[in-house]
Amino acid sequence: METSVITTKGQLLIPKRIRNKYGIKSGVKVIFEETENGVIIRPMNADYFKSFRGILKSGNLKEEMKEMKEEEKKLEDRKFNLLFGNGNKKTK
């Protein structure tokens, strides 16, 4: 187990062996993931983004976004109609 000390500026030095093992290089962003047992520091490198493969239902980001926007619009229209009634909605 290796240790490090947090500076007064909140900076943390990650030991070289760990940086090399996990591909954490200068300029690589890391995420801090909170868990019940503590904090996990993970690099946002190519492997991190590859872990998201297959997360979309259709495999097509544009189609997924279009569907989400349509759902969002329906919800907003429904909220508007509940608050102001069908007859008062402005049309373009």
Side-chain angles (χ1 to χ4, degrees):
M1 180 189 318
E2 297 181 50
T3 63
S4 187
V5 176
I6 297 176
T7 69
T8 57
K9 293 183 178 181
Q11 297 172 332
L12 176 68
L13 175 68
I14 301 171
K16 184 175 182 178
R17 183 189 68 77
I18 293 174
R19 289 193 318 263
N20 289 342
K21 182 176 180 179
Y22 295 100
I24 303 172
K25 298 177 182 177
S26 178
V28 170
K29 287 189 177 188
V30 295
I31 61 168
F32 296 87
E33 185 177 327
E34 293 182 81
T35 70
E36 290 180 11
N37 297 321
V39 178
I40 298 172
I41 301 172
R42 296 187 343 174
M44 292 178 69
N45 55 18
D47 291 334
Y48 172 77
F49 290 104
K50 285 179 187 174
S51 72
F52 291 108
R53 285 186 180 164
I55 202 168
L56 300 175
K57 292 182 279 183
S58 70
N60 183 341
L61 182 59
K62 285 184 181 180
E63 188 61 34
E64 291 281 331
M65 291 298 291
K66 183 179 174 185
E67 288 176 17
M68 287 172 53
K69 287 188 179 278
E70 287 172 359
E71 290 257 343
E72 196 174 297
K73 178 150 177 34
K74 286 178 187 176
L75 286 171
E76 289 298 320
D77 287 346
R78 184 168 177 252
K79 285 182 196 176
F80 187 90
N81 289 333
L82 287 171
L83 289 172
F84 302 107
N86 288 334
N88 296 334
K89 186 174 179 185
K90 295 179 183 179
T91 57
K92 294 180 182 178

